[in-house]
């Protein structure tokens, strides 16, 4: 792969790596090191999009010839943004809030080359949780699965058992709207391996 078609994923998320690899994209991983900070009053879609662009931009500044993919996932329940839980009580609060309800998962992605945004977009999926018992929540927290995931759950793990319905992309809920990202890469000359 020449430098002009080199792809870098600006994320150390194992889920994003898995999704991109399964889609047949050859890529390298470089952590962006961009801190995730929500600005007061910033809508979830804008926040996710800003973070995806900032992450991709930070890595692009180090590898200007590559196409860099940045992504960020936010869980929105009513008007509250649920990021990664800071501690067990935070995870318990989030899971209790999601129990028996529909929420929105926003994953934004950005493609950047040479510091310029080629494409970026927020993608939304609607997720319905079944009603959760307190013991289920406590048992799930004990697995430690919730702690590196927005909204304190992972659709691809034990937390997938809490979901009764997904409207939209399942991959998006995992952290990368794969179909949209692969289509965007193809528009910029990146072919599947």
């Amino acid at each position: 792969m020449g430098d002009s078609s080199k792809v870098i994923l600006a994320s150390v998320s194992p889920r994003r790596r898995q999704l991109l690899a399964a889609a047949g994209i050859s890529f390298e991983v470089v952590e962006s090191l961009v801190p995730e900070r929500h600005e007061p009053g910033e809508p979830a879609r804008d926040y996710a999009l800003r973070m995806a662009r900032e992450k991709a931009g930070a890595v692009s500044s180090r590898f200007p010839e590559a196409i860099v993919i940045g992504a960020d996932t936010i869980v929105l329940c009513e008007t509250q943004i649920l990021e990664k839980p800071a501690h067990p009580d935070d995870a318990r609060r989030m899971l209790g809030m999601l129990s028996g309800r529909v929420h929105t998962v926003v994953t934004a992605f950005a493609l950047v080359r040479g510091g310029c945004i080629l494409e970026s977009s927020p993608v939304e999926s609607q997720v319905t949780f079944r009603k959760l018992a307190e013991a289920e929540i406590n048992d799930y927290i004990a697995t430690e699965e919730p702690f590196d995931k927005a909204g304190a759950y992972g659709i691809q793990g034990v937390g997938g058992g809490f979901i009764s319905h997904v409207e939209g992309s399942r991959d998006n809920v995992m952290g990368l709207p794969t179909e949209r990202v692969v289509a965007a890469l193809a528009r910029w000359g990146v072919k599947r391996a």
Side-chain angles (χ1 to χ4, degrees):
M1 175 183 330
D3 283 348
S4 63
S5 61
K6 178 178 180 178
V7 176
I8 296 176
L9 176 62
S11 173
V12 294
S13 162
R15 294 160 299 281
R16 289 189 183 115
R17 284 196 312 259
Q18 176 189 4
L19 289 167
L20 202 55
I25 301 298
S26 295
F27 64 97
E28 296 176 18
V29 173
V30 176
E31 188 172 7
S32 73
L33 304 174
V34 171
E36 296 178 1
R37 290 197 183 97
H38 180 246
E39 301 293 333
E42 185 177 30
R45 288 171 60 100
D46 295 350
Y47 175 35
L49 193 54
R50 178 177 58 81
M51 293 310 312
R53 289 172 175 170
E54 287 182 11
K55 290 173 182 180
V59 172
S60 181
S61 68
R62 292 181 274 162
F63 302 91
E65 297 302 316
I67 293 178
V68 180
I69 304 166
D72 195 64
T73 302
I74 304 294
V75 171
L76 183 65
C77 188
E78 293 191 0
T79 61
Q80 189 163 358
I81 292 174
L82 306 180
E83 297 185 76
K84 296 171 187 169
H87 46 73
D89 287 340
D90 197 23
R92 193 170 287 107
R93 174 189 64 82
M94 290 182 193
L95 293 165
M97 182 183 295
L98 297 174
S99 177
R101 300 174 82 177
V102 177
H103 61 276
T104 302
V105 177
V106 179
T107 298
F109 74 91
L111 302 185
V112 175
R113 181 167 46 207
C116 296
I117 297 169
L118 304 176
E119 294 191 34
S120 62
S121 177
V123 179
E124 293 186 8
S125 299
Q126 303 298 313
V127 180
T128 304
F129 261 34
R130 63 178 173 76
K131 186 75 175 156
L132 305 178
E134 185 177 338
E136 283 183 289
I137 292 173
N138 290 333
D139 288 348
Y140 183 55
I141 290 168
T143 70
E144 298 187 4
E145 183 177 287
F147 296 107
D148 69 337
K149 295 167 183 68
Y153 76 93
I155 191 172
Q156 73 288 351
V158 176
F162 300 155
I163 297 170
S164 60
H165 181 70
V166 176
E167 186 176 320
S169 167
R170 184 181 191 283
D171 287 358
N172 191 57
V173 179
M174 277 181 69
L176 193 69
T178 310
E179 182 179 316
R180 297 271 297 270
V181 171
V182 169
L185 288 168
R187 285 190 289 275
W188 292 94
V190 176
K191 295 177 174 49
R192 294 181 190 220

